[in-house]
């Protein structure tokens, strides 16, 4: 039954709903508890908290965006129950009181049950109470999501543990993306959730609706800087459990493509150490190197030159020489990227015409580097550089592993590994 089929016991314009919404807006937890535990009857009453049925008011002024979608002729209502409200706000005593009065733990007039709400809020005590009162650990929401799919925050780890203790399925796919709980943990960078699921037997390389494994999903999710550590631990965990480092999604993109799309050099190095193909091409013909070059100017804080270095030191083909001016144009504001890439060629014919593709602001900001670049317009590279290229050609894909073993001073090893210096010689 859809939520439009329910007749709310407390419609939106009722006095109780007005007072309840006021208490919720004011975050007055005591008043919310008092209203749902003492004034709402019956115990499983359906409460209407919102209603955007514009058809009920022909004079309503509709926004232009809505006018474009009138063909749906649908509206949405937010329906809920006292138990769902209590669980969503973590009111454990209130949940216990309502269950004691016979509230149905699986009632879901709004499309989600109380267990879904508890998991969304990370309220472990509420989740355990509901499960003890026989809430279905695999109850599907209107969107096809089980409670485990809604364990999306660090605070929800206890909820996930409780669900698994009560028999929740780790292999169930949910929602439009057909994600498993492990996919959800991977997308959110929840390394402890992933560890829990893997220890309980989750399949590490199950594919979702886009053909992604959990590793692919983790590498593709955008991260805040403070989340990078958790994401790296999560990916290392997945790889230790046998995740395929080169698994391709429906667009033939590998986890390495996605890590490079965020210029995540630590993640790229991790994948490369586990055998990821540095030269893999997606359906659009883009390599991981192309992906990091495309994003370099927008990822200055990520030090994209480190990712370029890692790829080239693990055997990535470099850019076709005729395409170098395009790289120069795209990455002009990140001269370290230009330097690392330029030094991967034994000799690249520098043209004065390249100056036209470099924005004047970038040229002036990084003038010493660009002056050193154009000084090579009619000059062969130095012998030291040519020796570097000979060694790199000899070691091929094993540069990263073998060059540190050479009996060379550390600065010279770094030079052979394309460490940028700020100018070209």
């Amino acid at each position: 039954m859809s939520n439009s089929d329910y007749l709310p016991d407390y419609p939106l314009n009722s006095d109780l709903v007005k007072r309840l919404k006021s208490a919720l807006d004011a975050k007055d937890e005591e008043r919310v508890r008092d209203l749902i535990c003492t004034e709402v009857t019956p115990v499983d009453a359906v409460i209407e908290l919102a209603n955007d049925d514009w058809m009920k008011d022909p004079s309503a002024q509709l926004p232009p965006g809505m006018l474009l979608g009138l063909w749906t002729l649908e509206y949405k209502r937010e329906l809920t129950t006292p138990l769902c409200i209590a669980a969503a706000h973590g009111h454990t005593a209130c949940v216990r009181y309502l269950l004691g009065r016979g509230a149905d733990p699986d009632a879901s007039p709004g499309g989600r049950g109380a267990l879904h709400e508890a998991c969304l809020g990370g309220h472990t005590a509420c989740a355990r109470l509901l499960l003890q009162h026989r809430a279905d650990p695999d109850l599907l929401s209107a969107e096809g999501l089980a409670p485990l799919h809604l364990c999306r925050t660090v605070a929800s780890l206890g909820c996930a543990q409780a669900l698994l203790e009560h028999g929740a399925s780790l292999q169930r796919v949910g929602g439009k993306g057909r994600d498993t709980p492990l996919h959800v943990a991977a997308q959110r960078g929840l390394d402890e959730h992933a560890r829990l699921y893997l220890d309980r037997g989750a399949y590490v390389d199950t594919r979702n609706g886009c053909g992604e494994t959990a590793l692919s999903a983790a590498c593709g999710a955008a991260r805040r800087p403070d989340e990078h550590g958790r994401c790296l631990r999560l990916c290392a965990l997945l790889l230790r459990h046998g995740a395929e480092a080169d698994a391709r999604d429906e667009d033939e993109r590998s986890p390495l493509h996605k890590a490079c799309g965020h210029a995540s050099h630590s993640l790229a190095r991790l994948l490369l150490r586990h055998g990821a193909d540095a030269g893999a091409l997606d359906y659009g013909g883009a390599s991981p190197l192309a992906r990091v070059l495309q994003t370099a100017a927008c990822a200055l804080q990520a030090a994209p030159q480190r990712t370029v270095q890692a790829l080239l030191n693990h055997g990535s083909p470099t850019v076709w020489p005729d395409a170098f001016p395009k790289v120069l144009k795209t990455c002009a504001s990140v001269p370290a990227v230009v330097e690392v890439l330029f030094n991967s060629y034994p000799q690249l014919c520098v043209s004065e015409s390249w100056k036209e593709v470099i924005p004047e602001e970038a040229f002036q900001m990084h003038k010493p580097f660009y002056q050193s670049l154009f000084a090579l317009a009619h000059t062969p590279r130095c012998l030291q550089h040519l020796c570097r290229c000979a060694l790199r050609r000899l070691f091929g894909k094993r540069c990263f592993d073998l060059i540190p073993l050479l009996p060379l001073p550390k600065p010279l090893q770094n030079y052979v590994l394309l460490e940028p210096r700020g100018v070209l010689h």
Side-chain angles (χ1 to χ4, degrees):
M1 183 162 61
S2 70
N3 70 356
S4 60
D5 296 325
Y6 282 93
L7 290 176
D9 298 285
Y10 294 92
L12 187 64
N13 59 1
S14 65
D15 176 66
L16 182 134
V17 171
K18 290 177 181 177
R19 287 186 286 135
L20 180 58
K21 284 172 69 70
S22 174
L24 289 169
D25 290 342
K27 294 182 169 51
D28 187 340
E29 306 292 343
E30 186 175 346
R31 194 164 155 224
V32 170
R33 286 196 299 270
D34 184 59
L35 284 169
I36 62 178
C37 289
T38 64
E39 292 198 36
V40 177
T41 56
V43 71
D44 284 326
V46 176
I47 301 170
E48 183 180 33
L49 288 183
N51 187 337
D52 65 358
D53 182 8
W54 59 270
M55 295 180 71
K56 287 183 177 178
D57 183 4
S59 65
Q61 296 296 309
L62 303 179
M66 184 175 287
L67 292 172
L68 295 175
L70 291 186
W71 60 274
T72 60
L73 295 181
E74 293 179 355
Y75 65 93
K76 295 180 181 179
R77 292 189 299 176
E78 183 184 344
L79 300 180
T80 187
T81 65
L83 188 61
C84 286
I85 295 173
H89 290 81
H91 298 326
T92 310
C94 200
V95 168
R96 184 181 291 109
Y97 172 79
L98 293 167
L99 289 169
R101 288 181 56 203
D104 180 0
D106 290 336
S108 53
R112 290 199 301 252
L115 193 51
H116 290 104
E117 300 292 358
C119 291
L120 266 175
H123 303 306
T124 302
C126 290
R128 287 194 177 278
L129 265 176
L130 291 161
L131 289 162
Q132 289 162 11
H133 283 77
R134 300 185 181 279
D136 182 356
D138 284 325
L139 180 71
L140 295 182
S141 70
E143 297 175 322
L145 299 172
L148 264 183
H149 292 115
L150 299 182
C151 292
R152 298 172 175 173
T153 63
V154 172
S156 68
L157 180 62
C159 296
Q161 290 171 326
L163 287 165
L164 293 175
E165 289 167 10
H166 285 80
S169 171
L170 277 168
Q171 315 309 337
R172 186 180 293 277
V173 297
K176 293 180 181 178
R178 298 190 60 76
D179 292 318
T180 65
L182 185 59
H183 281 102
V184 174
Q187 291 158 1
R188 305 276 172 158
L190 301 176
D191 55 321
E192 290 302 322
H193 286 64
R195 189 185 309 279
L196 172 67
Y197 299 159
L198 291 166
D199 288 346
R200 294 296 184 94
Y203 301 147
V204 73
D205 276 337
T206 298
R207 307 277 179 147
N208 64 10
C210 297
E212 293 180 309
T213 62
L215 180 63
S216 181
C219 292
R223 305 280 178 217
R224 299 195 310 268
D226 61 321
E227 295 177 332
H228 288 170
R230 274 195 292 139
C231 179
L232 192 61
R233 291 194 300 272
L234 188 152
C235 290
L237 173 71
L238 293 168
L239 289 162
R240 285 199 301 273
H241 278 77
E244 185 185 344
D246 246 351
R248 307 295 187 89
D249 64 14
E250 62 183 8
D251 295 319
E252 280 297 302
R253 286 183 177 166
S254 67
L256 185 58
H257 278 99
K258 296 176 180 183
C260 290
H262 299 303
S264 176
H265 58 90
S266 54
L267 187 49
R269 283 200 299 267
L270 175 69
L271 294 165
L272 289 162
R273 286 201 303 271
H274 281 80
D277 182 1
L281 300 179
D282 64 17
Y283 270 143
S287 66
L289 179 60
R291 295 274 290 163
V292 70
L293 292 176
Q294 289 165 2
T295 197
C298 301
L300 295 179
Q301 290 185 329
Q305 68 273 13
R306 301 297 180 204
T307 307
V308 175
Q309 245 186 300
L311 291 168
L312 293 170
N313 287 329
H314 283 84
S316 169
T318 193
V319 174
W320 184 251
D322 290 347
F324 195 82
K326 186 181 293 186
V327 174
L328 197 56
K329 180 179 181 180
T330 303
C331 302
S333 61
V334 201
V337 167
V338 178
E339 180 184 352
V340 170
L341 193 62
F342 188 83
N343 282 334
S344 67
Y345 303 89
Q347 183 74 40
L348 192 60
C349 186
V350 178
S351 169
E352 290 289 336
S353 65
W354 290 0
K355 290 182 179 178
E356 298 173 9
V357 304
I358 303 173
E360 181 63 22
E361 182 181 355
F363 187 93
Q364 293 300 326
M365 185 176 295
H366 308 288
K367 197 169 184 178
F369 171 76
Y370 285 115
Q371 284 178 331
S372 72
L373 172 65
F374 290 108
L376 296 173
H378 306 292
T379 307
R381 297 301 301 271
C382 66
L383 182 59
Q384 187 182 43
H385 170 72
L386 296 177
C387 290
R388 164 169 63 185
C389 290
L391 278 173
R392 293 181 59 80
R393 186 167 56 251
L394 177 66
F395 292 150
K397 294 181 178 181
R398 300 195 64 195
C399 282
F400 185 84
D401 297 314
L402 297 181
I403 289 172
L405 301 179
L406 293 175
L408 297 173
K410 185 66 174 176
L412 198 50
Q413 289 181 0
N414 290 340
Y415 176 82
V416 180
L417 288 168
L418 302 177
E419 186 74 19
R421 294 182 168 185
V423 292
L424 293 163
H425 299 286

